[in-house]
C-alpha cells in the first residue's frame, strides 16, 4: 500500500466533526458550578487509587476520596508538555490549531491568540462567573492573559513553569553570570492579578522565599473566592484552579517539609498537593453546594522522567514530551454528588480536550462555529456528559491523536485498543520494566525519530506499556489496522485546509538552517519578487 506524506497528514484532521455530540440524558439541575483543578507534571502512578499513595510513601487521602466518591478515569489524556496541555484544555482544540505547541519562556511575549475561544468564553455566554488562579503558561502579551480570554478575575497567576523562576536565583544556578541573572530578572514577570477589561497587575516577584509557598497562597485565594461565589445562589460559577506542583524543582511549602513517609521533596510536594485539593473539597461540602458543583481534576501532561528523581511515576513507556503513552496519559477524577455514582471506574478514551464541549452542554449553550475574530473555527472536543451520568455507550470518541512540538500529522494514533506509533522519540529513555535509569539524551530531549515504512502497532489492552510491536509478529498479523489508522488520520487532516492552524505562538528551534536551504529560499524569494510577492527568510 502506498500513502504519500500529504495523504498521511490529511488523515488527521476530521476529529472535530465528531466532537459535538449531545448527551441523551437530561441532568437534574441545569448550569452546575464547575471547578476544574489542574496540577503540573504529576505522575499517573502517584496517587493511591492509581497504585501509588501510601504504598509509595506519600499518602493521598483526598485524591483517594475523589476516587471513592466520584469517578476515576483510566484512559484520560493530556498533551505531551505544559503549554500544549493547558491550551488544549482551555480551547478544546488540538494544540497545533491554536499555535500553542511549544513551551513558553519568559521574555518571548506572544501567547494564546486573541481569536481563540476558551472554556471561560463559552461559560460566560451561559451566564457564569469565571475565575482563574495559578499557572497559566499560555503567553505574556496582554491579549493572551486569562482576563482577555473570558475570565472575570485572575489571582495568584504565574506565567511560566516553576523552574523558570529559578533562573533569577543565583543560589539555584551559581554558574550564571551577573549579566545573565539581570537579563532574567528583567524578562521575568512575577505574580499577577486582574479583572476583565483592566490591565493586569504584578503584585510581587517570585523569590526564593515565596517560591515554595505559591500553591499555599493560591489555595487561600481560591477558598475566599469560593466563599464569595457560594453566596450568590442564582448565578453559577466556573473556577480554573492550576497548581504549580509537581513541576520540578519540587520544593514543598514550609508546613509540608518532611510530611511524607518517604521524606523526599517530591513525595512531600505530592502530599501538599493532596492537602490543598482536600481544602477545596472540604469547602464545597461545608458551603452546602456539592450537589450542584462538578469538580474535575487532571494533569497537563505525562510524568517527566527526564528529570528523575524529581519526577512523578508512570508505568508507561517514554516520558513527557513524547508520543508514547507516558507522554500524555494522566490521572483524572470527576465528582458531582447525586449525579456521578460513587466509586466508578471509567475506561473510555477521553481527555482534557473534552472539557469545552462538556461545559457548553452543561451551561446550555452551543459550541461556537466562529472564533472571537468572526472566522470559522473547529473544535476537537467531545461532550463527556454521558460518561458523568453513566451512559458510556452514548459517548462517541474512540480515537486519540498524539502530537509533539512540530507535528501537524500525529506522531501516534490510537483507535480503540490499538495504537500506531510513527514517532519513536523517547525509546530507551525511560522504558517501563527496563533495568536502566532514564537516559536524558533519549527522552524528551532526544531527537524525533520516525519509522521508515510502517508504524509500530500496539494492543493497549494486552500491552499498555507498548513493549511488543504486533504489526507483523502475531500469528495472524495485524496489518489490517493500518488502513483504519490512515482513515482516521485523513479525516482529521482534511480539516486543516478549511481551518488552517495558527502560526506557532512561542519561539523554538525548528531544525537546522543549512547553507543550501538558505540559498534555495533566497532563489524562491527572488522569483516571487518578480511576481510582486515577498516573504521573510527566518533563522
Amino acid at each position: 500500500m502506498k500513502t504519500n506524506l500529504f495523504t498521511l497528514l490529511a488523515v488527521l484532521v476530521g476529529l472535530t466533526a465528531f466532537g459535538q455530540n449531545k448527551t441523551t440524558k437530561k441532568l437534574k439541575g441545569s448550569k452546575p458550578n464547575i471547578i476544574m483543578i489542574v496540577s503540573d507534571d504529576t505522575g499517573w502512578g502517584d496517587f493511591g487509587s492509581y497504585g501509588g499513595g501510601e504504598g509509595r510513601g506519600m499518602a493521598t487521602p483526598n485524591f483517594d476520596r475523589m476516587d471513592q466518591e466520584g469517578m476515576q478515569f483510566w484512559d484520560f489524556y493530556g498533551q505531551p508538555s505544559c503549554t500544549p496541555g493547558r491550551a488544549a484544555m482551555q480551547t478544546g482544540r488540538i494544540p497545533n490549531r491554536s499555535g500553542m505547541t511549544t513551551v513558553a519562556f519568559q521574555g518571548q511575549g506572544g501567547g494564546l491568540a486573541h481569536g481563540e475561544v476558551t472554556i471561560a468564553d463559552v461559560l460566560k455566554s451561559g451566564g457564569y462567573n469565571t475565575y482563574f488562579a495559578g499557572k497559566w503558561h499560555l503567553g505574556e502579551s496582554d491579549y493572551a492573559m486569562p482576563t482577555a480570554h473570558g475570565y472575570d478575575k485572575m489571582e495568584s497567576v504565574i506565567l511560566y513553569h516553576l523552574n523558570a523562576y529559578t533562573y533569577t536565583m543565583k543560589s539555584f544556578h551559581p554558574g550564571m553570570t551577573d549579566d545573565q541573572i539581570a537579563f532574567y530578572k528583567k524578562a521575568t514577570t512575577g505574580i499577577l492579578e486582574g479583572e476583565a477589561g483592566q490591565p493586569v497587575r504584578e503584585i510581587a516577584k517570585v523569590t526564593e522565599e515565596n517560591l515554595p509557598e505559591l500553591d499555599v497562597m493560591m489555595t487561600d485565594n481560591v477558598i475566599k473566592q469560593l466563599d464569595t461565589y457560594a453566596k450568590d445562589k442564582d448565578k453559577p460559577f466556573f473556577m480554573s484552579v492550576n497548581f504549580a506542583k509537581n513541576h520540578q524543582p519540587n520544593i514543598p511549602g514550609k508546613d509540608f517539609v518532611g510530611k511524607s513517609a518517604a521524606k523526599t521533596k517530591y513525595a512531600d510536594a505530592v502530599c501538599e498537593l493532596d492537602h490543598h485539593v482536600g481544602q477545596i473539597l472540604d469547602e464545597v461540602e461545608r458551603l452546602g453546594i456539592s450537589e450542584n458543583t462538578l469538580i474535575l481534576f487532571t494533569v497537563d501532561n505525562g510524568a517527566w522522567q527526564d528529570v528523575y528523581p524529581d519526577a512523578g511515576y508512570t508505568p508507561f513507556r517514554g516520558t513527557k514530551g513524547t508520543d508514547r503513552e507516558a507522554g500524555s496519559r494522566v490521572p483524572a477524577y470527576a465528582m458531582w454528588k447525586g449525579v456521578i455514582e460513587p466509586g466508578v471506574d471509567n475506561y473510555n478514551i477521553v481527555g482534557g480536550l473534552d472539557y469545552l464541549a462538556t461545559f457548553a452542554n452543561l451551561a446550555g449553550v452551543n459550541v461556537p462555529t466562529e472564533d472571537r475574530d468572526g472566522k470559522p473555527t473547529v473544535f476537537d472536543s467531545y461532550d463527556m456528559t454521558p460518561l458523568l451520568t453513566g451512559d458510556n455507550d452514548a459517548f462517541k470518541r474512540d480515537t486519540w491523536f498524539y502530537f509533539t512540538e512540530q507535528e501537524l500529522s500525529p506522531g501516534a494514533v490510537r483507535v480503540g485498543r490499538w495504537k500506531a506509533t510513527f514517532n519513536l522519540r523517547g525509546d530507551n529513555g525511560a522504558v517501563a520494566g527496563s533495568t536502566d535509569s532514564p537516559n536524558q539524551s533519549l527522552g524528551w530531549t532526544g531527537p524525533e525519530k520516525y519509522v521508515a515504512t510502517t508504524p509500530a502497532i500496539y494492543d493497549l489492552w494486552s500491552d499498555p506499556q507498548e513493549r511488543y510491536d504486533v504489526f507483523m509478529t502475531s500469528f495472524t498479523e495485524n496489518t489490517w489496522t493500518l488502513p483504519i489508522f490512515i482513515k482516521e488520520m485523513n479525516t482529521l487532516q482534511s480539516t486543516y485546509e478549511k481551518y488552517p492552524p495558527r502560526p506557532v505562538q512561542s519561539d523554538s528551534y525548528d531544525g537546522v538552517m543549512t547553507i543550501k536551504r538558505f540559498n534555495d529560499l533566497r532563489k524562491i524569494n527572488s522569483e516571487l519578487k518578480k511576481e510582486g510577492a515577498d516573504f521573510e527568510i527566518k533563522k
Side-chain angles (χ1 to χ4, degrees):
M1 170 178 29
K2 288 188 178 180
T3 305
N4 62 34
L5 179 60
F6 181 80
T7 301
L8 275 175
L9 289 172
V11 163
L12 298 183
V13 168
L15 176 65
T16 59
F18 306 110
Q20 298 176 24
N21 55 297
K22 293 290 184 181
T23 178
T24 57
K25 208 170 200 177
K26 182 65 178 175
L27 292 171
K28 298 177 183 177
S30 59
K31 297 184 186 290
N33 307 313
I34 302 171
I35 303 175
M36 183 181 84
I37 305 172
V38 180
S39 71
D40 199 357
D41 286 10
T42 309
W44 190 91
D46 285 350
F47 305 144
S49 61
Y50 284 94
E54 188 174 354
R56 292 187 48 232
M58 45 190 191
T60 56
N62 293 297
F63 286 111
D64 298 347
R65 172 183 167 189
M66 292 197 78
D67 165 46
Q68 294 157 8
E69 297 182 13
M71 179 177 291
Q72 177 175 356
F73 295 91
W74 292 89
D75 290 77
F76 197 99
Y77 290 94
Q79 300 292 322
S81 63
C82 303
T83 296
R86 292 163 191 278
M89 276 186 271
Q90 291 291 333
T91 67
R93 285 154 53 85
I94 54 177
N96 59 33
R97 296 195 192 277
S98 63
M100 304 301 292
T101 61
T102 61
V103 173
F105 284 83
Q106 56 262 61
Q108 291 185 331
L112 191 64
H114 172 271
E116 287 293 319
V117 175
T118 68
I119 47 182
D121 290 317
V122 169
L123 289 172
K124 281 296 294 179
S125 71
Y128 278 67
N129 286 318
T130 55
Y131 174 85
F132 185 93
K135 179 179 175 179
W136 178 241
H137 213 177
L138 297 179
E140 297 176 306
S141 295
D142 291 344
Y143 66 78
M145 292 294 103
T147 45
H149 280 282
Y151 288 97
D152 299 322
K153 182 179 180 180
M154 54 184 262
E155 284 187 302
S156 304
V157 171
I158 56 175
L159 298 183
Y160 326 110
H161 54 85
L162 202 58
N163 190 48
Y165 293 98
T166 70
Y167 302 161
T168 66
M169 305 170 190
K170 203 156 189 175
S171 61
F172 278 86
H173 303 286
M176 291 177 70
T177 67
D178 290 341
D179 287 345
Q180 290 166 340
I181 292 284
F183 164 78
Y184 277 110
K185 283 186 175 180
K186 183 178 180 180
T188 303
T189 302
I191 303 169
L192 301 175
E193 65 179 25
E195 298 79 33
Q198 301 295 324
V200 299
R201 302 177 295 276
E202 184 181 64
I203 60 170
K205 292 293 185 182
V206 176
T207 66
E208 292 182 70
E209 290 72 30
N210 64 26
L211 180 69
E213 307 298 323
L214 291 176
D215 286 346
V216 177
M217 295 184 289
M218 183 196 73
T219 305
D220 287 344
N221 284 331
V222 168
I223 296 298
K224 291 175 184 175
Q225 188 63 49
L226 183 56
D227 293 350
T228 299
Y229 280 154
K231 293 174 183 175
D232 187 353
K233 305 294 185 183
D234 297 323
K235 193 171 180 68
F237 63 81
F238 167 61
M239 304 181 77
S240 180
V241 179
N242 301 268
F243 288 97
K245 302 279 187 307
N246 296 101
H247 195 290
Q248 56 82 227
N250 278 280
I251 308 173
K254 63 179 183 298
D255 291 338
F256 300 92
V257 174
K259 292 299 183 183
S260 69
K263 299 295 188 285
T264 65
K265 288 184 177 180
Y266 187 86
D268 288 349
V270 169
C271 290
E272 179 184 345
L273 174 66
D274 180 82
H275 173 80
H276 295 320
V277 170
Q279 287 180 281
I280 296 171
L281 300 182
D282 289 344
E283 193 65 8
V284 169
E285 194 71 30
R286 187 189 73 81
L287 292 168
I289 58 173
S290 57
E291 292 189 359
N292 196 38
T293 302
L294 169 62
I295 305 174
L296 301 153
F297 171 86
T298 192
V299 184
D300 51 0
N301 50 252
W304 194 2
Q305 298 298 281
D306 288 344
V307 297
Y308 177 86
D310 194 16
Y313 169 71
T314 177
F316 302 112
R317 186 172 184 171
T319 177
K320 169 184 177 179
T322 73
D323 288 323
R324 295 295 189 180
E325 286 299 284
S328 298
R329 206 189 287 205
V330 293
Y333 303 95
M335 288 177 64
W336 186 354
K337 190 173 182 179
V339 175
I340 297 175
E341 293 292 328
V344 174
D345 292 313
N346 183 275
Y347 298 95
N348 289 79
I349 299 172
V350 65
L353 278 171
D354 299 321
Y355 286 158
L356 185 136
T358 306
F359 296 170
N361 183 40
L362 294 175
V365 298
N366 293 322
V367 174
T369 57
E370 293 184 344
D371 68 12
R372 301 201 313 168
D373 293 330
K375 297 179 180 179
T377 192
V378 66
F379 296 90
D380 305 290
S381 190
Y382 286 66
D383 178 14
M384 294 167 53
T385 313
L387 303 184
L388 305 181
T389 58
D391 191 8
N392 290 3
D393 291 341
F395 182 70
K396 301 304 182 184
R397 179 193 285 286
D398 196 38
T399 302
W400 193 264
F401 299 109
Y402 307 71
F403 301 91
T404 56
E405 302 91 339
Q406 303 296 329
E407 290 175 339
L408 188 60
S409 60
V413 183
R414 179 177 179 180
V415 180
R417 65 192 288 180
W418 305 97
K419 180 177 180 180
T421 301
F422 300 92
N423 181 2
L424 305 181
R425 176 198 274 177
D427 276 10
N428 302 317
V431 180
S434 171
T435 57
D436 298 328
S437 62
N439 184 328
Q440 285 88 342
S441 66
L442 295 172
W444 184 15
T445 56
E448 293 182 320
K449 181 174 61 174
Y450 290 88
V451 295
T453 305
T454 58
I457 301 293
Y458 302 99
D459 179 352
L460 293 181
W461 283 4
S462 298
D463 178 29
Q465 292 176 313
E466 299 173 274
R467 293 173 297 176
Y468 305 108
D469 175 7
V470 295
F471 185 55
M472 294 182 180
T473 55
S474 70
F475 68 97
T476 59
E477 296 188 0
N478 287 297
T479 52
W480 65 270
T481 60
L482 188 55
I484 304 298
F485 290 117
I486 297 299
K487 172 181 175 293
E488 296 296 335
M489 292 171 67
N490 281 333
T491 303
L492 170 63
Q493 291 179 186
S494 65
T495 66
Y496 290 151
E497 183 174 358
K498 184 175 180 181
Y499 307 101
R502 297 185 191 276
V504 174
Q505 300 297 302
S506 299
D507 292 332
S508 65
Y509 179 71
D510 58 2
V512 63
M513 173 59 80
T514 64
I515 296 171
K516 182 179 185 306
R517 181 183 175 196
F518 182 79
N519 286 331
D520 287 345
L521 289 172
R522 288 183 65 194
K523 290 178 183 177
I524 294 170
N525 196 27
S526 177
E527 293 301 315
L528 288 172
K529 283 182 178 179
K530 293 177 184 179
E531 302 297 326
D534 194 5
F535 70 92
E536 179 183 359
I537 302 176
K538 293 187 177 181
K539 233 189 261 298

